[in-house]
Every structure is written in C-alpha cells, then in structure tokens.
Amino acid sequence: MIKYDPKTFDTGSEKENIYTLDIETTSLFQFPDGEWKPFDYSKPPAFYQGMDKAGVPYIWMFGVNDTVYYGRDFLQLGQVFEQIADGSKKYIYVHNLSFEFQWLLDIFENFTISNMIARSVRKPIAFDIDELNIQFRCSYMLTNLSLEKAAESYTDLRKKTGDLDYNKARHSRTDLSDTELSYCEYDILTLYHIIKYFKEKYVHLSRIPYTATGEIRKAFRKTVSYGYVLRTAKSTPSPIHYLEYMKTFTGGMTHGNALYVGDILHDIVSYDIASSYPYVMMLPIFPQGEFREVSPERANKLNRNKWAVLYHVKFHNIEANKLNHYILESKKISEKNVSCDNGRVIKAEMIELYLTEIDFDIITQDAYKVKPEDIEYISTKCAVKGYLPEELVKFTITVYADKTKLKGVKGQEDFYMAQKAKLNGLFGCNVTNILKSGADFVDGAWKAPELTNEYVKQKVDELRESKTNCFQYIHGVYIAAAARARLWKVISCYDMQTVYYDTDSVKAFPSKVLELIINNENDLVRMNLQQTAHDFNIPFEMFEPEDIKGKKHMIGLWEYEGKYK
C-alpha cells in the first residue's frame, strides 16, 4: 500500500481502470460525564440511545486497479478525484456507498451531484459528479453480500478479519500498525477483484448492472418472449390493490425465544432449508389475476389450496399461544395497548393488519388466542390460486440444478457463481416495490417520494407500460408468506425448545422429536415436488440434482447444518 503523494500518484494506464474507495472511521458517543468514547460492539445499540454522537475518518484507501493508495488527510480525496478526471467517464466502486456518501458530501460541496439512483433516503446506489464526469457505484448493491462474503463468492482473495479493533478510538494522527494497514489494504484489493470479475463478464464497466436483481432481470428477460412481457404488464394491479399488497408484505422471520435471550446455551443443533424461497416458487400457491371482494363468511370457507385471500382486519383482545411470537408489530396499521417481545406482539387490546390467508390462518388457528367475534373484518378479497408462469418455474429450477451440479467443478467457477447469484436474487426481483424504491437528492438534501394518489398512479402506470418487466410484486408477497409458514410450522411444533430462527433456519435443543418433525416436513416437500414435476412435465432429477460427488440435493429440504457447542 502506497502513501498518497499528489506528485507521484499514478492514475492508471489501462484503457478502462477499475477505481475503488473505502474510508475507515471511528464512531464516538458522549457519555453523561462528558467524555467521548468509541462504540463498544459488546453493548447493545439501545445502550447508546439518547447520547450525542460523532464520527472521525482516520484513513482512506483508493484503488487504481490492484495498486492501493492511502491517506490520513480526508480532504486529500478531493485531489485524487480531480487527478483521475480526464474528460472520459470514470467509475468508482464503494462497498456500502450509503455510508461513505455521508462523508463524501464535505468534499462534493463545490461540485454538482446528479443522476442519483437510490434505493431509499440515504441509500444511494449510484450518482454522478458532473464537473469530473465520475460516477460512484455501490458494490454492495451489485453483490447483495458483505465484502467478506462477496470476496469468497467472486474471488480467490480473502478479506482480512479481526485485525482492526473497531472498539478503539482513532483519528488522522493515530499511528497504525502494519497489521492494521494491511487490513485496510485488503479491503480494497478484495473489492478490486470483485469488480474485475464483473468487468470481465460484461466487458465494460458501464454495462455492469447497478444491482444484483438488475443482473437477474437481464438474464431472465432473455429467456422469455415479448408476449410474456405483455402478459406481465396486463397483470399489473390497480393503484389501490398495489398499496394493499405493499401493506400485506412481510419479509423473513428472525427472532430469539424470550426464554433464552441473554443466556449461553450449549449443544444447540441447527437445521437449514435448502433454497427456501426458490422452493416455494415451485408450488401452486400464487394469486392468478386481481383480487375480488367477497364476504368474510365466504372468505373463511374458501378452500385454501385453491383460493388466495387478502384480509384487512382488526384483532381485538388477542394473546399469544406460544413462547415464540408471530405478528411483527411494525406491520400494524393501528394498535391499542400492545405488549411486545422485542418487536413481536405478545398480546394486544387491538391491532389492525393486512394479511394473506397464510398469515391469517397461522394467527387465528395456531399462534394466538382470538375469538371469532373479536375479529373485525374491514375487507376480504379473493383470487384463484395457481403456479407461477411456466417460464419462471422452469428458469428457477434450471438455475438451481446448474448451481448444484457445478459447485466445486474445476473450470466452471464463473458459471457456478452466476447461477448462484441468480438463484439468490430471484426473490428480490419478485418483491421489488416500485412505490418504496427511489429518493431524490436535491440541493444537498434527501427527499422521499410521497405516496400521493397522483404518484402511486404514475408509478403503477409506468409499470403497466413497461416493455421489460417480467415479475409481479404480489408473487413476492406470497413467496415470503409461504416460506415464513414453513419456518413457523417447525417452530410451532417445537416451541419451547426452539431457541432462535432466521428466515430459513432454526436453532434448537436436539431430540428425536425434532428429527421426526423435520423428516415429516421433508416427506411433504418430496410429495409437493413430484406433483409440480408432473404438472409441468419436468424430469424429477431437476428437483434433486447431484453434486460433483454424486450426492443428491433436493430443493426445499430441511438439512442438518451441525451443532453449536
């Protein structure tokens, strides 16, 4: 790593250089006695609530291909940017641009920030600096992985870990050891090799998609006809329904059993679902067309295997049946006297929610005690259930089969990684919310879009007129709900001895009972996949491809991960 000197700084001689940037900072908090101390990662974030906070950048690293420069004077970065600017378009990649952006604003105060692409307020994906013809891009949004995991996935290089104590306060004059400097250097080197992988794949930096889902959208779009795109556009819901879908959506489940939070536990086993979201994409659980209003009595009697139902309800006097709690309080529309277990509802005098029939049935038949007369129905809508489009089902299972077969195969690393990235990102493509995506950055301030009737109609109309969109948001809502239901079924059956769960995995005390629960669930997976294989005339080996060692890996199975000592 070379210390920056504007006289000897080499801007790079390649036709299209890969530029990368990282900034290390110390977060400080002012304690009641007036002393400023660094953030202590052993303490919970709640410990620091109410304290004044500040941040100090103490080193920056800038990569020109595989050469890493560093500086301790933060404002020198402005000189670096000006030196690489030669009129042609330059691209600078930053892993987690939303963090670095807040610091770079001081340097950009005399420049024009334009063409902001943002996931939401303070979450930039890319933006331009007009006067320098430089575009900054977020590599985290491209990979959807931490730097460490992205390096493992896309390079032979490994990010260094544990060599930089983040509990230590530093500033621009703090001496850094060779070990600490090496840690900083490898953050840039790993990022360079990640971007190098994508550059080789897309030939030019300008052609690299901004996000992981962007890459998958391109890949899937190539496999379908224009008629498929037109059918997807025709399926665009009304603005009112789109808003209801948004209120209904809930993501993964991550929580600890309140019995054990704060305790140290021994010999805990872990089970994981193989490709949980892609598996439920194989099932006939998805609404076909728009929802239509029905009476609550009719909605509750509909066959759940054939009909999807959207509920807008108020639960009165609801109380949990389990030690693990299902309702996420943040999804409420309104509430009264709610008691929570770290964000999960234990009981409530009243809570108002939008729910799929999957969630409604779990809440009313298993997770909570609620009398039928204490359910106030505001609206109930239904739609016929069926499979996802055949093209999407076959694309998904083909990607899964390719990923499994290619893992560990010498010479096929790039194709394996491409298939793995597609599989991991398919859910994100389905659940992209056009109403929550984007934010403007004008005159140095963020502005989130307001969900006015005009704005919602405009965005939905744009989606309906799109000639490239291949995914439907309501499908993402049901993918998440169905995967969550699979997870909950195991949690519910093994309630007291389940200690933690995280979207597609369960950590629990070992027993023969747990093994029986898992085996029964896996029998159901095989039965469901055999039906899907029959309905689409897909060879069953696509659903349980063999790896390089000849071992079969059925999609959607609960698999034993190991034991935590």
Side-chain angles (χ1 to χ4, degrees), residues 489-506:
K489 192 173 178 183
V490 172
I491 295 166
S492 176
C493 291
Y494 204 60
D495 184 38
M496 182 178 286
Q497 290 154 298
T498 297
V499 302
Y500 183 78
Y501 43 93
D502 186 359
T503 303
D504 62 356
S505 69
V506 164

Side-chain angles (χ1 to χ4, degrees), residues 204-221:
H204 295 293
L205 294 171
S206 61
R207 295 180 183 172
I208 299 174
Y210 290 111
T211 65
T213 56
E215 188 174 21
I216 300 152
R217 288 175 194 280
K218 284 186 177 182
F220 181 56
R221 177 67 183 87

Side-chain angles (χ1 to χ4, degrees), residues 271-558:
Y271 284 89
D272 174 79
I273 303 173
S275 299
S276 175
Y277 287 152
Y279 163 73
V280 297
M281 291 172 67
M282 301 295 104
L283 307 180
I285 60 168
F286 298 95
Q288 312 289 301
E290 287 230 351
F291 284 82
R292 300 183 182 278
E293 198 87 36
V294 292
S295 68
E297 294 78 16
R298 170 85 174 135
N300 290 338
K301 290 178 181 177
L302 287 172
N303 185 331
R304 297 313 203 212
N305 293 323
K306 296 181 178 180
W307 292 92
V309 183
L310 290 187
Y311 287 89
H312 179 192
V313 296
K314 288 182 179 179
F315 293 120
H316 297 273
N317 305 313
I318 189 170
E319 186 172 352
N321 267 330
K322 307 285 181 178
L323 293 168
N324 293 285
H325 306 117
Y326 190 81
I327 298 173
L328 194 62
E329 195 221 1
S330 62
K331 295 303 296 182
K332 94 294 186 173
I333 306 301
S334 65
E335 65 181 15
K336 184 177 180 182
N337 294 334
V338 173
S339 298
C340 286
D341 157 26
N342 194 21
R344 300 263 168 197
V345 174
I346 301 171
K347 61 181 180 179
E349 187 175 331
M350 186 280 292
I351 188 164
E352 178 184 358
L353 300 162
Y354 281 85
L355 302 165
T356 67
E357 82 286 352
I358 297 170
D359 298 305
F360 179 85
D361 290 349
I362 288 173
I363 290 168
T364 58
Q365 298 173 21
D366 182 36
Y368 292 86
K369 288 177 276 191
V370 56
K371 297 176 182 176
E373 60 268 26
D374 285 338
I375 304 173
E376 180 183 345
Y377 297 93
I378 300 170
S379 73
T380 45
K381 298 182 173 80
C382 72
V384 173
K385 277 184 177 180
Y387 287 105
L388 290 175
E390 182 175 356
E391 296 91 333
L392 184 52
V393 171
K394 289 185 174 178
F395 178 84
T396 302
I397 201 59
T398 299
V399 170
Y400 174 77
D402 287 343
K403 186 209 79 159
T404 304
K405 293 173 184 176
L406 293 167
K407 186 174 183 179
V409 178
K410 196 170 183 179
Q412 295 294 321
E413 293 85 359
D414 286 355
F415 189 39
Y416 165 75
M417 279 312 309
Q419 299 304 86
K420 182 179 178 181
K422 287 176 192 173
L423 193 69
N424 290 343
L426 274 168
F427 171 66
C429 291
N430 280 282
V431 83
T432 298
N433 183 347
I434 57 167
L435 301 184
K436 293 188 74 174
S437 301
D440 293 325
F441 188 77
V442 182
D443 298 327
W446 286 101
K447 184 180 179 182
E450 295 181 26
L451 295 184
T452 61
N453 291 337
E454 294 77 13
Y455 176 78
V456 174
K457 184 178 184 305
Q458 173 199 331
K459 298 298 286 184
V460 171
D461 285 346
E462 288 174 3
L463 190 64
R464 185 176 289 110
E465 293 164 10
S466 170
K467 299 297 186 289
T468 58
N469 180 45
C470 298
F471 298 93
Q472 297 181 49
Y473 180 58
I474 187 61
H475 292 163
V477 174
Y478 268 79
I479 290 169
R484 197 165 52 247
R486 289 196 67 206
L487 184 73
W488 178 259
K489 192 173 178 183
V490 172
I491 295 166
S492 176
C493 291
Y494 204 60
D495 184 38
M496 182 178 286
Q497 290 154 298
T498 297
V499 302
Y500 183 78
Y501 43 93
D502 186 359
T503 303
D504 62 356
S505 69
V506 164
K507 324 297 181 189
F509 291 101
S511 75
K512 293 294 183 182
V513 172
L514 178 59
E515 291 176 17
L516 181 62
I517 293 168
I518 295 295
N519 289 337
N520 287 341
E521 287 300 299
N522 285 343
D523 289 342
L524 185 61
V525 168
R526 176 174 287 276
M527 185 177 71
N528 289 337
L529 292 177
Q530 286 172 338
Q531 185 64 52
T532 302
H534 173 269
D535 292 344
F536 285 106
N537 194 27
I538 299 172
F540 192 73
E541 55 263 29
M542 293 286 286
F543 296 93
E544 55 170 7
E546 294 182 356
D547 63 18
I548 191 175
K549 297 178 181 178
K551 182 181 178 181
K552 292 181 179 181
H553 295 269
M554 188 183 297
I555 189 171
L557 283 187
W558 281 94

Side-chain angles (χ1 to χ4, degrees), residues 110-128:
N110 295 320
F111 294 102
T112 306
I113 297 174
S114 67
N115 300 324
M116 174 64 74
I117 301 171
R119 184 176 56 176
S120 57
V121 169
R122 290 185 291 278
K123 299 289 184 182
I125 296 171
F127 62 88
D128 290 350

